[in-house]
Amino acid sequence: MAHNRVLQWSTMARTWWLFDAQHQCAFRSASMLIKYLQGKHKPIYHPLSDVGDHVVVINTADVAMREDYWRKFKYFHHTRYPGGFSVTSAWRLHELDPTKVLHKAIYSRLPGNLLRPNMMRRLHLYPNENVPTEILANVSDQIQQIQPIPKRLDQYTEEELASFPKVFDWPEDHVRDPGQTKRKR
Amino acid sequence: MVFLTQVNCLRSRGPDKYWRKAMYFRLSWKFYGRKRNCFGIAVRYARRALRYSSRARHQRRLETKQASTALLWNVRIQAACEEHKMDFHSFMSGLAESDIALNRKVLNDLAIYEPRTFQSLVEFVRKRNGEVGLMSAISPLPKGVITRGML
């Protein structure tokens, strides 16, 4: 066949994937994204051949964590000098750099061999939707999100709210003034 | 090279020490400490590194041939299944229960070199798995699949 050569090019070419991290669990997304960075989603995968793809992640500032892991999950560091130990909460690290949580989650899940730095170079993390045009121009496909994004009450239209079935109306005085309920600590 | 004195002519004979050393220093450029720049130490470590690398080459071939091959087949078939939105375990069990005697090596080769054949296998298993359960009554029929129940 005349186009065998082209088939081979498109088999071996690196695809650029887009992943929207909006309201997605950082740890579970990381476990899913390393598959694309390693090339384990391709039938031609081999651990010694570098067949991984590029992954562009947007909205990393809006990643989610279950329960109160933002407070509970800790990142430990030691400078190897006496007294050089430090602990950082996930929310604090996220405040300093909104791409860092996902970066560390993916880095720690990749195998610790000599291919890891190059795989990390093929990961492009952006805190919001402002991606450079030269990066976005390469993207040809998107990765499906791992969990559905919950819809807030104010995002429903008036019609949907009106048509939602309900058995009875709450009394007018059922909802107290929020200002009154605020407790002092 | 033209030497005007006898002494220089004598000196220039024999093996070229500089180039012999340079040959080993080219191998030891990434070593740490005196292993890198002191020739007597560098040459020992460079030779050992060469021994290690040739041994590792054989080991790597053995490992890829024996231990990790079965795992690699699994990973590759799994990847090929996911391309068609198919679960690996239901695919393998579906094939086995339909008496399609294809082992992982063959499935692996099909997934790489004959992706359309592999896709047809996936379509078959999907249809067959749909027939087994209660969903068969309402599921739509994929194109190009003829089963025994239709005849």
Side-chain angles (χ1 to χ4, degrees), chain A residues 37-57:
Chain A
L37 291 171
Q38 291 182 86
K40 279 195 172 180
H41 63 299
K42 299 178 181 178
I44 57 165
Y45 169 77
H46 192 276
L48 297 177
S49 55
D50 199 5
V51 291
D53 283 348
H54 286 262
V55 178
V56 182
V57 186

Side-chain angles (χ1 to χ4, degrees), chain A residues 35 40-41 43 45-46 48, chain B residues 60 72 76 79 82-83 112:
Chain A
K35 197 173 67 183
K40 279 195 172 180
H41 63 299
Y45 169 77
H46 192 276
L48 297 177
Chain B
R60 192 179 65 195
L72 183 63
R76 283 174 166 179
E82 277 172 24
E83 278 185 355
I112 295 172

